[in-house]
Amino acid sequence: MAKPNVISKDDLIKFAKECLVNKGIEKFTLRAVAETAGVTQGTIYYHFKTKEQLLLDIVQNICETSWQEISQRNEYVIEQAITSAKSRCSYDSFFHKLFLSLVASSFNNEKIRNQLGEIIMRENKALTENLSNFWAKSPIEGVSLETWAILLNAIVDGMALQASLQKDFPVEKTYKEFEQLINGLNTLVSKEGD
């Protein structure tokens, strides 16, 4: 029996994630989400006009949840961010399959492209703010904290892209060495502060 139309958008996003994980991107439809949530298709259409919009809201929800968790903790933020990113870095990563599918579709859909760009800008801003909590200034003169945020975000996204294309991508080794890179940058900042 269908649930009444008093279901929140956030609850629908949770059901949509469940539907996507269980059915895969190929069988992910607004009808399938409605069935998973036990609501009418009209309820889904009330909150999400298209499948692409729902997928975009899922990605945005995942990004916001991840950054909220990281931003709530003052110590070890960088380590937690790395751990969170590493947990999503795999050949079968649901998040990155979804994100990369949206990136591909955005080349022909300016609205999705703009919204993905906004998500990435917010990630970069959150990362810049977190870096400024640890680094009074950049570890390397002439490279701003904003640029460090963009570079670190791009490194994480690049590793995820490679892992989604290579079954044998060395996730553990690469992330361990990425942490060493971050620790090396932290050491540079500490030495300059002495």
Side-chain angles (χ1 to χ4, degrees), residues 44-101:
I44 301 296
Y45 281 108
Y46 175 79
H47 292 283
F48 311 100
K49 303 301 179 217
T50 64
K51 174 181 162 178
E52 288 77 19
Q53 183 60 51
L54 176 53
L55 290 171
L56 188 63
D57 282 0
I58 290 171
V59 171
Q60 186 168 348
N61 175 270
I62 291 169
C63 290
E64 287 174 357
T65 301
S66 177
W67 283 107
Q68 280 176 351
E69 290 172 4
I70 291 166
S71 297
Q72 289 175 354
R73 300 176 176 98
N74 290 331
E75 50 189 70
Y76 308 114
V77 172
I78 301 296
E79 291 85 355
Q80 289 171 348
I82 291 170
T83 300
S84 176
K86 184 171 96 174
S87 74
R88 293 188 306 262
C89 187
S90 70
Y91 185 73
D92 293 316
S93 170
F94 155 74
F95 174 80
H96 289 103
K97 281 182 183 178
L98 175 59
F99 187 76
L100 294 170
S101 295

Side-chain angles (χ1 to χ4, degrees), residues 176-187:
K176 182 178 180 183
E177 292 177 16
F178 182 57
E179 286 185 63
Q180 288 179 305
L181 171 68
I182 300 298
N183 291 334
L185 294 170
N186 287 335
T187 301

Side-chain angles (χ1 to χ4, degrees), residues 3-169:
K3 293 180 184 171
N5 288 344
V6 280
I7 187 168
S8 72
K9 185 175 183 177
D10 288 340
D11 285 341
L12 288 175
I13 289 172
K14 288 177 191 171
F15 283 113
K17 289 177 187 177
E18 178 185 324
C19 178
L20 193 55
V21 168
N22 292 336
K23 296 185 182 287
I25 193 99
E26 301 81 22
K27 295 181 182 177
F28 182 77
T29 63
L30 295 179
R31 170 179 268 169
V33 172
E35 290 172 4
T36 301
V39 298
T40 65
Q41 276 186 266
T43 299
I44 301 296
Y45 281 108
Y46 175 79
H47 292 283
F48 311 100
K49 303 301 179 217
T50 64
K51 174 181 162 178
E52 288 77 19
Q53 183 60 51
L54 176 53
L55 290 171
L56 188 63
D57 282 0
I58 290 171
V59 171
Q60 186 168 348
N61 175 270
I62 291 169
C63 290
E64 287 174 357
T65 301
S66 177
W67 283 107
Q68 280 176 351
E69 290 172 4
I70 291 166
S71 297
Q72 289 175 354
R73 300 176 176 98
N74 290 331
E75 50 189 70
Y76 308 114
V77 172
I78 301 296
E79 291 85 355
Q80 289 171 348
I82 291 170
T83 300
S84 176
K86 184 171 96 174
S87 74
R88 293 188 306 262
C89 187
S90 70
Y91 185 73
D92 293 316
S93 170
F94 155 74
F95 174 80
H96 289 103
K97 281 182 183 178
L98 175 59
F99 187 76
L100 294 170
S101 295
L102 283 171
V103 168
S105 69
S106 78
F107 295 129
N108 295 317
N109 185 320
E110 196 65 27
K111 184 176 180 185
I112 291 176
R113 190 178 214 172
N114 290 336
Q115 289 178 312
L116 285 174
E118 287 176 25
I119 290 170
I120 290 171
M121 284 186 343
R122 275 186 276 163
E123 285 181 347
N124 291 339
K125 183 179 178 191
L127 187 51
T128 300
E129 290 170 6
N130 282 320
L131 287 175
S132 68
N133 291 331
F134 293 96
W135 299 345
K137 64 179 196 168
S138 174
I140 298 177
E141 190 174 328
V143 181
S144 69
L145 293 182
E146 291 83 8
T147 298
W148 278 115
I150 291 167
L151 292 171
L152 294 173
N153 202 6
I155 289 170
V156 169
D157 287 346
M159 289 187 295
L161 174 62
Q162 291 186 49
S164 70
L165 297 173
Q166 301 173 354
K167 281 187 178 183
D168 59 350
F169 181 78

